[in-house]
Amino acid sequence: MRYHGSVHRALLSTAAIGAAALALAACGSSDDDGDTAASTGAATSASTAAADSGGGEAQKVAVLLPDTQSSVRWETADRPLLQAAFDDAGVPVEIHNAQGDKSTQQQQAEQAITNGAKILLLTNLDSGSGAAIQNLAAAKGVKVIDYDRLTLNGKADYYVSFDNVKVGELQGQGLVDCLEAAGVEKPNVAVLNGSPDDNNATLFAQGYNSVIDPKFESGEWVEVADQSVPDWDNQQALTIYEQMLQKADNKIDGVLAANDGLANSVVSAQKARKLDPIPVTGQDATLQGLQNILVGDQCMTVYKAIKAEADAAAQLAIALSKGEEPPAGLVNGESDDGQRQVPSVLLTPVAVTTDNIADTVLADDFVKRDELCAGKFAKACEEAGI
């Protein structure tokens, strides 16, 4: 059965969203094995800084991140960006990572509220556990911002993310372009979806299915497999893809992989069987994904400017912490959580290939050239003009 999304959203035009993303960027300023709480310092100094900036006494914010398994971004990018934004605003904050455990995230939320947090910035592990946290917060008068992942049937006051259907559309079109460039006729294509309990994965699939389903239906492509990867687990993805290869007698010509971690599982399996590289999509513009693109093991990724996302979420949380309205123009759409429309900040994703790595992730300082082009990747960077 095809993996289709069922959540729809009312969005502003792409141009408006792009303008909002630019405005956010202008406003903005090792994986962790356990929970780490980071604070800005003494509450008195934070309150003084907030008062000096013209706002009221800032209330405490708690950031609840999901894991380090689904993506390295939560610790390597989101945590330091959010910490810096709250530090700069003089807003007291504690940041936790649940390391994939729903009970742990619930306990972190409860403890944060006990510690005086009045705003939760939540990236849920799934909508059920996320809604439970939001029900608790609502009962305690605590506001919640859904960060990156929308909680279905929840009580979030705001949602900050990217146009996730667009992310999927970029992936689908990327695979089309890469297979055409490879000159593969009637390719055998496999699909590795993200976690079935992640609403973002549903939206990604809604986007890429809109592009690739017509290819299957017309007979231009042959669908050899379509499977979701629980919890975005890369090791499970490796096992799943190896089984796909076995069933297809190694005859897979392209893979729609929902993020760079899943894509690397495909790359690893291809290499283990000494098979030639094939077009594989990705997402998150991770260092590993970008390096795979440079050497031809992956054909594209989707870059989501995490700094713009973190800045937007921080701006919302800071305004709420001071009893203020969100900055004008920041909220630019709505998202359907299954029972209501949640005011949203929806940013624009960008497809990245070898051709525009320099103009996107390097230009934004999202990754460092020295890291990207280290060691065996130096020659690939030189050949790509990086």
Side-chain angles (χ1 to χ4, degrees):
M1 179 179 294
R2 299 292 300 145
Y3 182 68
H4 289 285
S6 60
V7 180
H8 300 277
R9 297 161 311 165
L11 303 175
L12 293 188
S13 68
T14 301
I17 296 172
L22 290 173
L24 289 173
C27 293
S29 116
S30 54
D31 282 359
D32 224 338
D33 288 333
D35 166 45
T36 305
S39 72
T40 59
T44 302
S45 61
S47 298
T48 301
D52 290 344
S53 69
E57 182 175 326
Q59 296 177 314
K60 190 175 188 179
V61 176
V63 178
L64 304 176
L65 298 175
D67 55 31
T68 52
Q69 178 175 285
S70 63
S71 178
V72 297
R73 61 166 282 190
W74 304 116
E75 290 297 325
T76 61
D78 296 85
R79 178 190 286 272
L81 287 168
L82 290 167
Q83 182 72 57
F86 290 117
D87 285 350
D88 289 346
V91 172
V93 65
E94 57 184 75
I95 302 179
H96 303 276
N97 191 311
Q99 294 299 342
D101 190 291
K102 299 169 191 175
S103 296
T104 296
Q105 191 167 68
Q106 177 84 26
Q107 293 165 7
Q108 289 170 344
E110 292 171 353
Q111 188 60 53
I113 292 172
T114 299
N115 292 346
K118 295 300 182 183
I119 298 93
L120 299 183
L121 189 61
L122 169 68
T123 305
N124 70 51
L125 283 162
D126 64 23
S127 286
S129 60
I133 289 172
Q134 292 182 4
N135 286 333
L136 169 68
K140 298 289 187 179
V142 173
K143 295 186 180 298
V144 180
I145 299 167
D146 267 335
Y147 182 56
D148 197 73
R149 300 174 182 171
L150 180 65
T151 300
L152 299 181
N153 300 312
K155 294 185 177 179
D157 295 274
Y158 294 96
Y159 172 49
V160 179
S161 190
F162 288 80
D163 180 348
N164 290 313
V165 174
K166 182 64 175 177
V167 169
E169 291 172 354
L170 292 174
Q171 292 173 317
Q173 189 57 51
L175 188 59
V176 170
D177 295 343
C178 292
L179 284 170
E180 288 180 352
V184 183
E185 293 186 11
K186 203 166 186 176
N188 291 327
V189 175
V191 180
L192 277 176
N193 306 292
S195 184
D197 56 6
D198 180 355
N199 184 57
N200 277 5
T202 301
L203 297 172
F204 302 147
Q206 180 182 326
Y208 55 69
N209 285 339
S210 71
V211 178
I212 67 176
D213 274 355
K215 295 289 186 181
F216 295 134
E217 292 163 2
S218 70
E220 292 180 68
W221 291 6
V222 177
E223 182 184 60
V224 296
D226 184 307
Q227 193 165 337
S228 298
V229 180
D231 300 320
W232 295 91
D233 187 285
N234 296 335
Q235 188 58 47
Q236 288 194 62
L238 178 61
T239 300
I240 289 168
Y241 184 66
E242 287 174 338
Q243 293 169 346
M244 290 178 173
L245 281 172
Q246 188 68 27
K247 187 175 180 180
D249 195 26
N250 289 340
K251 292 181 174 61
I252 295 179
D253 301 306
V255 180
L256 193 303
N259 77 357
D260 288 350
L262 305 187
N264 195 62
S265 296
V266 172
V267 171
S268 297
Q270 291 283 128
K271 289 182 176 179
R273 294 189 176 220
K274 300 188 183 328
L275 300 173
D276 291 336
I278 59 175
V280 183
T281 65
Q283 179 186 177
D284 291 331
T286 63
L287 180 61
Q288 183 179 64
L290 294 166
Q291 289 174 333
N292 280 339
I293 289 171
L294 282 170
V295 297
D297 289 329
Q298 184 174 327
C299 72
M300 62 84 68
T301 187
V302 178
Y303 171 44
K304 300 181 296 186
I306 295 175
K307 186 178 188 307
E309 185 181 25
D311 284 350
Q315 286 183 67
L316 275 176
I318 290 164
L320 293 177
S321 79
K322 297 180 180 180
E324 300 170 355
E325 291 297 314
L330 182 61
V331 176
N332 64 356
E334 293 182 329
S335 300
D336 186 349
D337 76 353
Q339 61 183 10
R340 63 198 178 88
Q341 297 295 320
V342 182
S344 303
V345 179
L346 300 166
L347 308 176
T348 304
V350 178
V352 174
T353 65
T354 304
D355 293 339
N356 67 342
I357 285 177
D359 299 329
T360 53
V361 293
L362 288 180
D364 288 356
D365 204 27
F366 182 73
V367 297
K368 305 291 186 185
R369 186 191 181 283
D370 289 348
E371 295 176 348
L372 180 66
C373 302
K376 65 181 181 180
F377 300 103
K379 183 179 179 181
C381 283
E382 183 178 347
E383 292 173 350
I386 296 173

